[in-house]
Amino acid sequence: MPWISACEADEIDAEDVMRFDHDGHTYALYRSPDDKYYATDGLCTHEQVHLCDGLVMDNIIECPKHNGRFDYTTGAPKGAPVCVALKTYNVKVEAGMVMIEIA
Amino acid sequence: MARPHGMVIIGGGIAASRAANALRDGGWNGPITLVSDEMHVPYDRPPLSKSFVTDAPARAPYLTDIAALAAIDVNFISANAATRIDPKASTVWLSDGQSLPYEKLLIATGAQPRRLTLPGSESARVHYLRTIEDSLAISGQLKAGAHMIVIGGGFIGLEIACSARNLGARVTVIEGLPRILSRGVPHEIAQVVASRHRQEGVALHCNAKITHLVESDDAINVTLADGQTITGDLVVAGIGAQPATDLASNAGLAIENGIRVDSYLQTSDPDIFAAGDCVSFPLAAYENTRVRLESWRNAQDQGVVAAANMLGKQQAYEAIPWFWSDQYDLSLQIVGLRGAQDRSIRRDLGNDAFILFHLDPAGRLTGASGIGVGNAVARDIRLTEMLIAKGAKPPDEVLADGKASLKALLRQPG
């Protein structure tokens, strides 16, 4: 699977999320409070809302519309109304760039 | 121990649906019966003024399906209204004559659109919007070039106005008060909404009193007190809603602007709970001010909490009111409860998105209202909700600075 350079590592604040679009697909990139990077699909599995406008608290991203919650480190749903997991992607930081492995 | 009865839920919306799931998730192994007077499985209502209208023919916004209900062993009874509750016999009667004994009962009957009482308002060209059928009846007439007259500049009316414009219909909105959204939305935000509707070609008449409606062969005429008559193909009235309390009041349950429940969503009968648009409940974060909310999240969360309490879990419902409305590419979000004495502080977020924070005379954050493209205000509104729950008294300069982090404020001790 190809690795794509998504953004500079310091473009995302700690405990925050950023949108990344590539090849017609939307991803959400996260930087956790302990400075690890993660990536998931960018749209909520409930009603296709962009998660990048949501709130990150610890390892949870919350949908800005219906407050559905996911653990962005695993994609696991963490509260109604979401019940379908978010797809996650491998992420690494190389030379200050966040790289995402596009499946 | 044998449990001869079971849990009975009356309702066809999100509160009822979430409650059924929450009862199973909460470990209840006995019977669950879900009764709806509608012919559908429970469904989401927010799309009925928006995507379900504009994307027609769209799949109805069902929250579940027959197979999913069967999978959690919910006995689903549709198109069958609950007609009477006998609390002494712990039994609900349905319109087809069958009776359902219950161990605990949840009433989630929602609200009903308030109806016009003007002369001529019984016309078949006058519509209301609450159900899938209502939405279909309206969208079926929203052809390009049709003229829809909306009575009431509230959320339902403005959302359906937006959908109609998206479909190429002409739209006139008639509001009796000096401005739209006068209930609960600050002037500055209502102004943004109003000017957007005007930009999109909606004719907006405020301060307009309607005297009567007259149906003709192929139109409906709405006459205003100033003598002007507006001719359209259909009228949609969005003039508020009333809680569906008949069943509860006939059963002798306490009513106070809705079915009166305590913070556990328990009615005046200990075996009967109520949730969603039909209840009034005490808001713990606002000195137990009793409110009734017409809000998606409130209905969802109350369904879940009511289910927990039906199982004896003594879980208080301690939410901060939260509401959204989508019109065109704008989304408006409102959180909290603004007091009459509150002052406002504006926070600009770029791209014309802004939030007004509301603070009481003691400096405590009581609410916020924001508007912007997409979900531009969502994150700060959500953080505001958490700050309100914490009883925060944030400094004005932090609130006013769109770059200052509300999350940092939340994490400050105290």
PDB file of all heavy atoms in Angstrom, chain B residues 19-31:
ATOM      1  N   ALA B  19     -34.432   3.965  23.558  1.00  0.00           N
ATOM      2  CA  ALA B  19     -34.808   3.308  24.809  1.00  0.00           C
ATOM      3  C   ALA B  19     -34.876   1.794  24.630  1.00  0.00           C
ATOM      4  O   ALA B  19     -34.401   1.039  25.488  1.00  0.00           O
ATOM      5  CB  ALA B  19     -36.140   3.856  25.314  1.00  0.00           C
ATOM      6  N   ALA B  20     -35.438   1.350  23.516  1.00  0.00           N
ATOM      7  CA  ALA B  20     -35.554  -0.099  23.280  1.00  0.00           C
ATOM      8  C   ALA B  20     -34.165  -0.729  23.266  1.00  0.00           C
ATOM      9  O   ALA B  20     -33.917  -1.759  23.908  1.00  0.00           O
ATOM     10  CB  ALA B  20     -36.282  -0.355  21.962  1.00  0.00           C
ATOM     11  N   ASN B  21     -33.251  -0.085  22.537  1.00  0.00           N
ATOM     12  CA  ASN B  21     -31.880  -0.615  22.492  1.00  0.00           C
ATOM     13  C   ASN B  21     -31.207  -0.563  23.860  1.00  0.00           C
ATOM     14  O   ASN B  21     -30.510  -1.489  24.247  1.00  0.00           O
ATOM     15  CB  ASN B  21     -31.044   0.176  21.488  1.00  0.00           C
ATOM     16  CG  ASN B  21     -31.310  -0.264  20.070  1.00  0.00           C
ATOM     17  OD1 ASN B  21     -30.949  -1.358  19.661  1.00  0.00           O
ATOM     18  ND2 ASN B  21     -32.007   0.557  19.322  1.00  0.00           N
ATOM     19  N   ALA B  22     -31.441   0.546  24.562  1.00  0.00           N
ATOM     20  CA  ALA B  22     -30.765   0.719  25.854  1.00  0.00           C
ATOM     21  C   ALA B  22     -31.276  -0.274  26.892  1.00  0.00           C
ATOM     22  O   ALA B  22     -30.526  -0.695  27.776  1.00  0.00           O
ATOM     23  CB  ALA B  22     -30.937   2.159  26.338  1.00  0.00           C
ATOM     24  N   LEU B  23     -32.531  -0.648  26.786  1.00  0.00           N
ATOM     25  CA  LEU B  23     -33.050  -1.658  27.723  1.00  0.00           C
ATOM     26  C   LEU B  23     -32.310  -2.987  27.522  1.00  0.00           C
ATOM     27  O   LEU B  23     -31.894  -3.631  28.479  1.00  0.00           O
ATOM     28  CB  LEU B  23     -34.558  -1.864  27.518  1.00  0.00           C
ATOM     29  CG  LEU B  23     -35.458  -0.759  28.071  1.00  0.00           C
ATOM     30  CD1 LEU B  23     -36.892  -0.959  27.574  1.00  0.00           C
ATOM     31  CD2 LEU B  23     -35.428  -0.740  29.603  1.00  0.00           C
ATOM     32  N   ARG B  24     -32.138  -3.365  26.260  1.00  0.00           N
ATOM     33  CA  ARG B  24     -31.408  -4.616  25.987  1.00  0.00           C
ATOM     34  C   ARG B  24     -29.939  -4.491  26.387  1.00  0.00           C
ATOM     35  O   ARG B  24     -29.394  -5.365  27.059  1.00  0.00           O
ATOM     36  CB  ARG B  24     -31.491  -4.963  24.501  1.00  0.00           C
ATOM     37  CG  ARG B  24     -32.685  -5.719  24.083  1.00  0.00           C
ATOM     38  CD  ARG B  24     -32.744  -7.141  24.636  1.00  0.00           C
ATOM     39  NE  ARG B  24     -34.039  -7.727  24.293  1.00  0.00           N
ATOM     40  CZ  ARG B  24     -35.012  -7.955  25.170  1.00  0.00           C
ATOM     41  NH1 ARG B  24     -34.868  -7.702  26.455  1.00  0.00           N
ATOM     42  NH2 ARG B  24     -36.155  -8.474  24.775  1.00  0.00           N
ATOM     43  N   ASP B  25     -29.343  -3.369  25.981  1.00  0.00           N
ATOM     44  CA  ASP B  25     -27.929  -3.167  26.311  1.00  0.00           C
ATOM     45  C   ASP B  25     -27.732  -3.121  27.825  1.00  0.00           C
ATOM     46  O   ASP B  25     -26.671  -3.474  28.335  1.00  0.00           O
ATOM     47  CB  ASP B  25     -27.400  -1.853  25.707  1.00  0.00           C
ATOM     48  CG  ASP B  25     -27.358  -1.896  24.189  1.00  0.00           C
ATOM     49  OD1 ASP B  25     -27.465  -3.003  23.626  1.00  0.00           O
ATOM     50  OD2 ASP B  25     -27.232  -0.829  23.563  1.00  0.00           O
ATOM     51  N   GLY B  26     -28.764  -2.665  28.523  1.00  0.00           N
ATOM     52  CA  GLY B  26     -28.666  -2.551  29.973  1.00  0.00           C
ATOM     53  C   GLY B  26     -28.907  -3.860  30.703  1.00  0.00           C
ATOM     54  O   GLY B  26     -28.922  -3.891  31.934  1.00  0.00           O
ATOM     55  N   GLY B  27     -29.128  -4.930  29.947  1.00  0.00           N
ATOM     56  CA  GLY B  27     -29.207  -6.244  30.566  1.00  0.00           C
ATOM     57  C   GLY B  27     -30.620  -6.766  30.787  1.00  0.00           C
ATOM     58  O   GLY B  27     -30.803  -7.829  31.388  1.00  0.00           O
ATOM     59  N   TRP B  28     -31.613  -6.061  30.296  1.00  0.00           N
ATOM     60  CA  TRP B  28     -32.984  -6.528  30.455  1.00  0.00           C
ATOM     61  C   TRP B  28     -33.243  -7.716  29.514  1.00  0.00           C
ATOM     62  O   TRP B  28     -33.074  -7.591  28.303  1.00  0.00           O
ATOM     63  CB  TRP B  28     -33.965  -5.394  30.146  1.00  0.00           C
ATOM     64  CG  TRP B  28     -35.398  -5.815  30.126  1.00  0.00           C
ATOM     65  CD1 TRP B  28     -36.198  -5.964  29.027  1.00  0.00           C
ATOM     66  CD2 TRP B  28     -36.212  -6.148  31.256  1.00  0.00           C
ATOM     67  NE1 TRP B  28     -37.449  -6.348  29.396  1.00  0.00           N
ATOM     68  CE2 TRP B  28     -37.484  -6.480  30.755  1.00  0.00           C
ATOM     69  CE3 TRP B  28     -35.979  -6.197  32.642  1.00  0.00           C
ATOM     70  CZ2 TRP B  28     -38.531  -6.856  31.606  1.00  0.00           C
ATOM     71  CZ3 TRP B  28     -37.022  -6.567  33.470  1.00  0.00           C
ATOM     72  CH2 TRP B  28     -38.282  -6.894  32.962  1.00  0.00           C
ATOM     73  N   ASN B  29     -33.625  -8.852  30.099  1.00  0.00           N
ATOM     74  CA  ASN B  29     -33.841 -10.053  29.288  1.00  0.00           C
ATOM     75  C   ASN B  29     -35.304 -10.355  29.032  1.00  0.00           C
ATOM     76  O   ASN B  29     -35.633 -11.267  28.277  1.00  0.00           O
ATOM     77  CB  ASN B  29     -33.199 -11.272  29.964  1.00  0.00           C
ATOM     78  CG  ASN B  29     -31.691 -11.130  30.030  1.00  0.00           C
ATOM     79  OD1 ASN B  29     -31.078 -10.700  29.056  1.00  0.00           O
ATOM     80  ND2 ASN B  29     -31.101 -11.445  31.171  1.00  0.00           N
ATOM     81  N   GLY B  30     -36.176  -9.608  29.703  1.00  0.00           N
ATOM     82  CA  GLY B  30     -37.607  -9.875  29.558  1.00  0.00           C
ATOM     83  C   GLY B  30     -38.173  -9.263  28.297  1.00  0.00           C
ATOM     84  O   GLY B  30     -37.445  -8.718  27.474  1.00  0.00           O
ATOM     85  N   PRO B  31     -39.488  -9.341  28.151  1.00  0.00           N
ATOM     86  CA  PRO B  31     -40.126  -8.802  26.944  1.00  0.00           C
ATOM     87  C   PRO B  31     -40.011  -7.282  26.845  1.00  0.00           C
ATOM     88  O   PRO B  31     -40.065  -6.577  27.856  1.00  0.00           O
ATOM     89  CB  PRO B  31     -41.595  -9.199  27.110  1.00  0.00           C
ATOM     90  CG  PRO B  31     -41.633 -10.213  28.197  1.00  0.00           C
ATOM     91  CD  PRO B  31     -40.441  -9.990  29.055  1.00  0.00           C
TER      92      PRO B  31
END
